[in-house]
Amino acid sequence: MGMSRIECIFFSEFHPTLGPKITYQVPEEYISRELFDTVQVYIITKPELQNKLITVTAMGKKLIGCPVCIEHKKYSRNALLFNLGLVCDARTKTCALEPIVKKLSGYLTTLELESGFISNEESKQKLLPIMSTLLEELNATGASTLPIDESNTINLKLIEQRRDPLIVQEYDVPVFTHCKDHFIKSQWDLTTQQILAYIDGFRHIQKISAEADVELNLVRIAVQNLLYYGVVTLVSIFQVMKPSDIWNVSATSPNKVTRLFGETVVRSGAGLCLTPHPACVSGQKRACLRDVFQLYCGLTPGTTVRDLCSRYSQQLQRVDERRLIQYGLMKSLIRRLQKYPVKVLRDERSRPPRLYTGCHSYDEICCKTGMSYKELDERLENDPNIIVCWK
Amino acid sequence: MYNHSSSLKLHGERTSMYKHSENTFYKSGEKTSPISVILVSSGSRGNKLLFRYPFQRVAGCTSLTTKQRSPYALNTTGDVLEDPDGDSRDQTPLTDEQLVAGFSDSILATILATKSDMCGKKFELKIDNVRFVGHPTLLQHPHSIQVSKADPSPKRETPTMILFSVVFALRANADPSVISCMRNLSRRIAVALQHEERRCQYLTREAKLMLAVQDEVTTMTETDGSPQSPFRQILPKCKLARDLKEAYDSLCTTGVVRLHINNWLEVSFCLPHKIHRVGGNHVPPEALERSLKAIRPYHALLLLDSEKALLAQLPLDCSPALVRLIKTCSAVKNLQQLAQDTDLALLQIFQIAAHLVYWGKAIIVYPLCENNVYMLSPHANISLYSPLSEAFGQQFPGHDLPSMLAKFSLPLSLSEFRNPLDALVQEAQLIQMVVWMLQRRLLIQLHTYVCLLVPPGEEEPALLRDEVLPLVARVGGRSLSTPSALSFGSPTSSDDMTLTSPSMDNSSAELLPGGDSPLNKRMTETLLASLTEQERQVILNIPAAQNPEDLRMFARLLHYFRGHHHLEEIMYNENMRRSQLKTLFDKFRSVLVVTNHEDPVISLFQSPLE
């Protein structure tokens, strides 16, 4: 609401003799004569632009409106043209206001068609107090519910625009970004409530669906919804069930790890809960930050998780390596290096490589051919014509 | 409620760890290209649409919005489903052409040819999913149109055009930086046109031509009955139309626009969003600028094209300093050396370098040397059949790219990469290969960063709070040296640009000779005072700390141990050798954590932002 403050609401129409004019505006005299002259062509428009959301910037102000034209013989000039619009400062982001303008124009159109609300001079006057209330309430709380007459009510709400969420795949693993208990579960739909207990950052969608006994697509949609609101985030499944088995090397991302080191994540209430760090085995909080940091720094390219375990066994007594990896992935502190085989030498006569082209990672090849990691490794190691890139 | 866009499979990244949507690759492409370019004018003959490109598809030119409506029909919203909540996004996304093709010429003329009081300022109009942006320009004051009968030059006609505007249509959800770039281009073209108009009525003449062709085609359509696009006919006749088409095409492809208005005035422009693309995402201009401000004298400039190719692209009247710089720069020479060699001020070098980087002609790297450690970039295309692979094979016959890249799968230093037993020629070729790979953003460079992290004592839990305070706050006083060092590197700062090490202010400790003098001891104590008691104890208990020289060095470098300064930067600032530093780190390894990662300043060019 702080971002999209509405400075003025205006109601403009095409007067049969006076032409385009502003009939009402709240607050009074906000739109100068000059400003209206400049922009009137975008407010009371030609028929081609009817019902389009038009935002025009002029003289430091942004005007958002949706021109309406209702044609009927009963009107002088056979048509009623009007536009209820909002005015903001030119620098305001107005995406959230657009649905409101559209909705308002819809309401007024309906009212006019049902009861001649606007063409009737008497009822038109009711617009002014309606506009005042709207302005006040939308700026204060971002929502407004106004009864117009016995049968019609206006319901408006400013909705924050969020980015479209990713498609959720069966092998994605949802993990809560904040502590589970922060959320009032009863507010959510039944499907979400049913799967909540199974979201632990290790179960992937397919597993959740199986264990919670909810259809796969419903789980995907529910998780996508949670993703949209930033309640969960996704990490991809590990190649092998237990990451301490055969993991691949990881490399730390620049900045992020040093930021982890210096940042006040521990103190800030932003709920990134480093204390206690999710990886820390409970009861051993003390040694945490340094151990965790050392471990992340120890994940250099060329180091498998197994190596890490042997090298830092002491620290790993206090830190759960699965959660360490998970947290690191979530916060993009670390990333997994994938192996890509490329067949570089071959005879002229043999077929061109289909999978060993450098475009397909081990993960993908194993998925497609059904081989296990180990089998693939053995097969490729024995072939002198194939080199492997990690990236 | 939200778009279920189709998921695109990028090679090998289906199980990608990155949170970037796989769709952003295509979305960014659309969002940074204009949908259409439109030229409108307003004058005594009213508002006119002079030219638009791309042309409307004329066959069945019925737009989506103008339909025959019965006077009694309810005012429907056309194709879009009636959505009472008003929050539906596009259910059936229209193609770009449909978005703008829906606007007829006359309506565009009305809405884009603004009143004169909107001139000279940014023009922005959003209609549903299309955003129009331009810079309307006044040709002359509307009140001062005079017909001078006694004009000596008979060629001057009565100008009837009052204002004009070059408008770009974009998708409504385009990035704000793209919008301001487009407006910038519109303004530049307008300035050139305004100048030419004043000089020789160029714009009026072109406008006349355009309108004449439009009239011609309209009459032809009326007689023949077969609709044609008038703008297609305008193209061969009007240079300005061709220029606008070229601008549009360039913006959609390379992002570099170079026009010669009236074959005379050059208008050049680049869209950073198209030029700086890594891994499918564009680099926002603000990030680029931040990076450029953080260049240090020890960085080097690596040209992305060959010297000859680059020089050929420069206009005839370009600055000689630029030419000199291009001829002298190399991947092994840092900017400071470059300044000396070209006899230019360091500040100027920074500015020219930033300019070249902005235009996508060069990138900033750390100068090549033996100890540089490189690794394969996560965005490198290692496919056997990629065009890069082919180009590499042609450039370096007998070698193939994937094998070379495989060598860099795990971090490799240049000295390891080279085989000292190789012939000198082969060595040189290996270096060239590395440079080639750097230019194509296949490699990233890793630097060593150091963080101070003292192991906590075994005693009490009360220290949990201390452990939590970021070192930044505690090392407070000493961090003063860093900001000045940063501003040193700023290309626009007019600070003291001495070519020697900038650490004059904080090197007081190093100037004092002799190990154990009380002054030195005091200095060390002060420096260590910023640590907590417990930390100090731990450090002083390290065997190496018994040596006062080492301890002093450690204390002096304390403020670098926050993980923001890499080894080479410390070397440069403090005038120390690599071996000295490495030994020190080793001696104090119980309290230091060493990590390797990219330099965030230059990693911008290798990795997208997260």
Side-chain angles (χ1 to χ4, degrees), chain B residues 258 266 305 307-316 361:
Chain B
R258 284 184 78 175
E266 179 174 339
D305 285 331
E307 185 189 300
K308 250 203 293 188
L310 194 48
L311 288 173
Q313 289 174 19
L314 297 175
L316 292 169
K361 302 296 178 198

Side-chain angles (χ1 to χ4, degrees), chain A residues 37 42 48 52-55 69 98-99 164 166 261-262 286 290 330 343-344 357 359 364 387 389-391, chain B residues 12 19 21 65 75 86 89 104 107 111 115 126 128 380 383-384 400 402 409 452-453 460 467 470 590 600:
Chain A
D37 275 344
Y42 308 108
E48 210 176 319
K52 288 185 184 292
L53 258 172
I54 302 184
T55 309
C69 168
E98 288 174 6
D164 287 350
L166 305 169
F261 168 69
R286 285 272 353 269
R290 182 169 201 269
M330 246 174 75
K343 188 160 190 159
V344 288
T357 57
C359 301
E364 217 178 303
I387 51 127
C389 291
W390 298 76
K391 71 164 187 177
Chain B
K19 288 191 241 172
S21 163
T65 49
N75 204 10
R89 314 237 190 116
S104 69
I107 195 72
I111 56 176
K115 295 241 162 53
K126 181 169 151 181
D128 276 351
S383 160
L384 194 54
D400 66 285
S409 285
L452 177 72
L453 199 45
E460 18 14 71
E467 171 174 73
S590 51

Side-chain angles (χ1 to χ4, degrees), chain B residues 219-387:
Chain B
T219 34
M220 257 174 49
T221 316
E222 279 164 13
T223 49
D224 280 358
S226 53
Q228 292 178 52
S229 168
F231 306 113
R232 201 182 295 272
Q233 315 291 331
I234 291 179
L235 263 186
K237 300 191 182 153
C238 263
K239 173 81 175 24
L240 181 56
R242 289 196 294 280
D243 283 339
L244 291 175
K245 171 180 185 300
E246 196 190 310
Y248 174 82
D249 288 336
S250 311
L251 284 172
C252 291
T253 50
T254 58
V256 178
V257 177
R258 284 184 78 175
L259 306 172
H260 290 90
I261 301 288
N262 198 14
N263 286 318
W264 180 238
L265 284 184
E266 179 174 339
V267 175
S268 57
F269 173 81
C270 84
L271 191 60
H273 308 80
K274 281 250 148 65
I275 295 181
H276 303 281
R277 301 188 69 94
V278 185
N281 294 308
H282 75 253
V283 177
E286 311 84 45
L288 200 60
E289 271 157 50
R290 266 202 311 267
S291 239
L292 290 176
K293 287 205 169 70
I295 304 179
R296 305 298 315 282
Y298 57 72
H299 282 132
L301 191 68
L302 177 63
L303 295 179
L304 293 178
D305 285 331
S306 77
E307 185 189 300
K308 250 203 293 188
L310 194 48
L311 288 173
Q313 289 174 19
L314 297 175
L316 292 169
D317 58 350
C318 72
S319 118
L322 180 59
V323 177
R324 241 186 304 164
L325 187 142
I326 293 177
K327 285 191 173 157
T328 331
C329 82
S330 109
V332 299
K333 216 182 278 189
N334 68 29
L335 295 176
Q336 193 163 308
Q337 287 168 317
L338 199 59
Q340 284 169 326
D341 289 351
T342 54
D343 204 20
L344 293 167
L346 191 57
L347 177 57
Q348 204 176 2
I349 297 283
F350 276 132
Q351 286 170 338
I352 301 180
H355 181 78
L356 285 171
V357 169
Y358 185 81
W359 277 80
K361 302 296 178 198
I363 53 173
I364 301 292
V365 294
Y366 190 81
L368 261 62
C369 71
E370 291 235 332
N371 290 300
N372 283 0
V373 175
Y374 294 105
M375 193 171 103
L376 196 52
S377 160
H379 303 282
N381 183 349
I382 47 180
S383 160
L384 194 54
Y385 303 121
S386 69

